[in-house]
Structure formats: C-alpha cells, structure tokens
Amino acid sequence: MEVEIDFKVIGQRIKEARKLKGLSQDKLSEEIDVSPAYISRIERGTSEVSLKRLVQIAKALNCSVEYLVGGTIPKANNYLNRDLYETLSNCSPSKQRLVYNIAQIVSHTKFV
C-alpha cells in the first residue's frame, strides 16, 4: 500500500513555524545549508522534503517533526481538521459562514 503525504500541508507548517520564530527563508536556508529557493519550494509543497532535511528544519525552528508531518496523510479522515480550524479561527463570522456554505455544497456534490 502506497501512502501519500500532503507536502503542501507540511510546507505550510514549516512556513508558519519559520515566521513564528522570526526567520527569513534566507536565514533558515543558511542554518541547514540549503538554498533559499529550496526552502521556498518546500514551503509551497512543490518539493518533497527528505526526512534528513525535515529533522534539520524542525531543529532549526525549535519544533517537532511530529508537528510538521502530523496528520498529513490524506487518507486519514481528520488530517486537515487542525489546519481548517486554525484557518477558520482567523476569519470573520461572515467569511466563516461563506466557507461553511461552500463546504456544505461540496459535501453534497459527487464531483470529487
């Protein structure tokens, strides 16, 4: 059985942790000895980060690898729950209602 990992979610978590620590992509890239362009690709989810690099990034950002990869397997029913909750928490009530309405439409449509 092949396991798919959502590298976009991992990248978003890396970006969030990097910003919380106040690091630029340039500074993070220096700390783990890679190019800033590589950090950019990881954060966008266009480059699959290796376990070795993920451990280096987690150490540089003072966070756990578990946080960065936790719940990134799309086949798990709840893999985006935390991220969705955090995103909605930052929205106004009217935007939350809009997202809810869209989710209702999507959940009742058989196109996905």
Side-chain angles (χ1 to χ4, degrees):
M1 175 180 89
E2 185 176 321
V3 175
E4 291 183 35
I5 296 175
D6 193 334
F7 286 97
K8 287 187 181 201
V9 172
I10 292 172
Q12 289 168 352
R13 289 183 183 149
I14 290 170
K15 181 177 183 178
E16 177 183 287
R18 177 181 57 76
K19 286 185 171 188
L20 282 174
K21 191 166 180 201
L23 290 179
S24 66
Q25 287 181 344
D26 289 338
K27 183 64 176 164
L28 178 57
S29 70
E30 286 175 22
E31 287 193 28
I32 65 168
D33 196 29
V34 297
S35 72
Y38 180 63
I39 297 295
S40 177
R41 288 192 308 273
I42 290 171
E43 289 184 356
R44 289 190 324 265
T46 60
S47 191
E48 295 183 5
V49 61
S50 70
L51 183 56
K52 175 186 172 183
R53 292 291 184 211
L54 198 58
V55 169
Q56 290 175 326
I57 290 169
K59 283 181 182 178
L61 298 176
N62 293 328
C63 67
S64 69
V65 173
E66 290 82 7
Y67 164 73
L68 297 176
V69 299
T72 59
I73 300 173
K75 291 185 181 183
N77 291 336
N78 62 352
Y79 95 104
L80 285 176
N81 285 0
R82 179 180 46 184
D83 294 316
L84 184 57
Y85 173 79
E86 289 173 8
T87 300
L88 286 174
S89 295
N90 294 323
C91 291
S92 68
S94 61
K95 286 183 180 179
Q96 288 178 0
R97 173 55 67 182
L98 176 62
V99 171
Y100 173 80
N101 290 339
I102 292 168
Q104 285 291 312
I105 292 167
V106 170
S107 71
H108 292 98
T109 305
K110 301 204 190 282
F111 64 88
V112 178

